[in-house]
Amino acid sequence: MIPSHEPHAVPGTEHGIMVVVVGPSGAGKDTLMALAAKHFSGRAEVHFVRRVITRDGGAGGEDHLSVSDAGFASMEQSGSFAVWWEAHGLKYGIPAEVSVALGKGHLVIANGSRSALHHFKAVFPRLKVINVTARPDVLAARLETRGRETHEDIMARLARGPLTVRGDYNVTELDNSGSLEEAERKILDVINEFLKEVH
């Protein structure tokens, strides 16, 4: 995951707050972000980022702009991304237009990756991280219902690394081991607290 250029802070982005939601597969971050986006849809000062991904648009999961590898490379070279990274054989980009909302002092929320947080930190001075996690047994059960991996593969993946965020970041931990309603209430509370800081 080595970008062709080192990301750097964009003037004006220090007025707003960039929130990056991260978490392992099975933690439910996509579901929680969709619920939060629906809840805050009437708030002009809250923006949810539509990522650019080199993944088929019909593959399910989050709503994203699907592009080819060549298209992604062209966008990267033209400066279309504030941040971009590679993970699991795919490329992900955060559109440069987020700087407009941040320049207005708004709250911008993006789906991210723990391995890419250092890129976000280099670009966005006011960065906050929401780390959505769940107990290993809960993660394993959710992943097994997807039917994409064997039980052994899932347990091996969960054993490979911690679920925490490593590094000097402003992190809010959100445990989604319980009911979806409980986790939804938690993420809405966290976002509302962040909103108090942009006014």
Side-chain angles (χ1 to χ4, degrees):
M1 189 183 64
I2 303 176
S4 59
H5 61 85
E6 187 63 27
H8 57 278
V10 177
T13 55
E14 68 276 3
H15 298 302
I17 293 176
M18 169 59 77
V19 180
V20 182
V21 183
V22 300
S25 295
K29 67 173 183 172
D30 290 348
T31 300
L32 289 177
M33 287 189 69
L35 290 170
K38 182 178 180 180
H39 178 84
F40 289 103
S41 61
R43 300 285 294 270
E45 73 276 29
V46 182
H47 306 261
F48 285 80
V49 177
R50 186 174 185 231
R51 298 194 295 182
V52 179
I53 309 176
T54 55
R55 178 173 61 198
D56 184 354
E62 70 179 281
D63 175 34
H64 66 278
L65 175 61
S66 177
V67 299
S68 64
D69 286 319
F72 193 98
S74 177
M75 293 179 72
E76 190 277 319
Q77 290 167 8
S78 66
S80 297
F81 302 130
V83 174
W84 73 271
W85 69 96
E86 296 180 52
H88 311 298
L90 298 172
K91 293 180 181 178
Y92 301 81
I94 302 297
E97 288 79 12
V98 298
S99 63
V100 176
L102 291 169
K104 295 178 180 178
H106 291 178
L107 192 72
V108 176
I109 303 169
N111 194 335
S113 172
R114 285 174 292 174
S115 63
L117 286 176
H118 60 293
H119 294 315
F120 281 92
K121 188 174 183 179
V123 175
F124 304 110
R126 300 183 70 190
L127 175 68
K128 293 183 182 291
V129 179
I130 298 176
N131 184 36
V132 180
T133 61
R135 297 192 314 271
D137 61 305
V138 173
L139 292 177
R142 290 174 182 169
L143 292 173
E144 284 193 44
T145 61
R146 296 180 181 181
R148 300 173 188 169
E149 300 172 277
T150 66
H151 176 78
E152 291 73 19
D153 289 339
I154 290 170
M155 298 313 293
R157 176 142 68 94
L158 292 176
R160 277 200 289 270
L163 302 178
T164 56
V165 172
R166 293 178 174 176
D168 183 21
Y169 303 104
N170 185 328
V171 182
T172 298
E173 299 287 347
L174 196 162
D175 189 326
N176 186 21
S177 298
S179 70
L180 182 59
E181 292 75 19
E182 181 183 0
E184 178 184 7
R185 185 171 64 252
K186 288 178 182 178
I187 196 168
L188 296 183
D189 287 345
V190 171
I191 293 172
N192 277 316
E193 284 300 312
F194 292 162
L195 277 170
K196 294 177 182 178
E197 299 182 39
V198 293
H199 292 301

